[in-house]
Amino acid sequence: MPTLKILVIPGSRRSGSLNAKLAAAAIDALVRAEVDVTHISLGDFPLPIYDGDLESSVGVPKQAVNLKRMISAHHGVLVVTPEYNASLPPLLKNAIDWVSRVQDSHESRGQVFRETPFAIAAASTGRLGGTRCLQALRLVLSACGAIVVPSQLALSFADDAYDDMDRLKHPADSEALRAMVRQLVDVAQQMK
């Protein structure tokens, strides 16, 4: 049986990001689950702001096609994102908008979302831990047809959630991360 492949996408490019630390903790949990993990940066897929007129005149940008194909090459995706003004950061929302427009010759537009399970997580210095962003992200991904696993992680007070080695230091946070990873792996295995 081929190894399960999971793509990890942080929704932040900022250096020292608390969400990048959470993505690293998730990668460790995925590796422990014997999953083949690919970690990307949305900065490697620069995209213009979505514009229907731009799409009509020049088509979908090559980087959106590349990102869609990266997602397609995996059995599941974990998105770890900061919360901006109680919602998604524009970098992440724009990437989703463009990928939803990609249509390879043998498939329907946005098919990658319907064929790939997603897990979502957020880290925030506040007590809500990015919960409002996760609600918005779940809505957006579901509107694209994605299966978003029920388990998610909203890491509260993330500026105090990591030890000196950038590992989660609170058992409840570690268990919530493992539960989300287990659920993503199980659903991806079933859909494979």
Side-chain angles (χ1 to χ4, degrees):
M1 180 185 304
T3 304
L4 198 67
K5 295 171 63 175
I6 302 293
L7 180 64
V8 177
I9 306 174
S12 174
R13 295 181 0 186
R14 195 181 60 152
S15 61
S17 163
L18 296 171
N19 284 278
K21 288 182 180 184
L22 183 55
I27 289 168
D28 184 58
L30 286 161
V31 168
R32 290 175 189 267
E34 299 181 359
V35 170
D36 183 12
V37 181
T38 304
H39 176 239
I40 64 168
S41 168
L42 290 176
D44 295 333
F45 300 88
L47 293 164
I49 298 296
Y50 178 77
D51 179 338
D53 289 338
L54 176 66
E55 181 185 5
S56 294
S57 64
V58 297
V60 176
K62 182 70 174 156
Q63 291 297 345
V65 174
N66 292 343
L67 180 56
K68 178 264 176 196
R69 289 181 179 159
M70 175 66 76
I71 294 169
S72 292
H74 292 80
H75 300 106
V77 176
L78 170 61
V79 178
V80 184
T81 183
E83 180 176 280
Y84 287 10
N85 298 317
S87 192
L88 286 74
L91 176 70
L92 178 59
K93 178 64 167 75
N94 191 55
I96 292 169
D97 289 343
W98 273 118
V99 168
S100 74
R101 306 303 295 169
V102 177
Q103 181 177 3
D104 281 327
S105 60
H106 60 284
E107 63 188 25
S108 60
R109 180 176 285 161
Q111 185 172 330
V112 68
F113 290 106
R114 294 184 296 280
E115 294 180 345
T116 311
F118 285 75
I120 57 176
S124 169
T125 58
R127 69 179 165 81
L128 297 179
T131 301
R132 295 167 299 183
C133 174
L134 293 179
Q135 290 172 338
L137 179 56
R138 184 175 295 277
L139 178 65
V140 168
L141 289 172
S142 296
C144 291
I147 294 171
V148 184
V149 301
S151 289
Q152 64 183 30
L153 176 58
L155 184 63
S156 303
F157 308 113
D159 50 340
D160 187 43
Y162 303 97
D163 65 18
D164 297 357
M165 304 288 288
D166 285 341
R167 294 176 300 217
L168 291 172
K169 65 183 183 182
H170 304 295
D173 294 336
S174 297
E175 180 48 41
L177 177 64
R178 283 192 299 273
M180 180 191 62
V181 163
R182 274 194 308 270
Q183 198 165 71
L184 177 60
V185 167
D186 289 347
V187 172
Q189 193 71 48
Q190 292 169 12
M191 292 181 66
K192 188 165 97 165

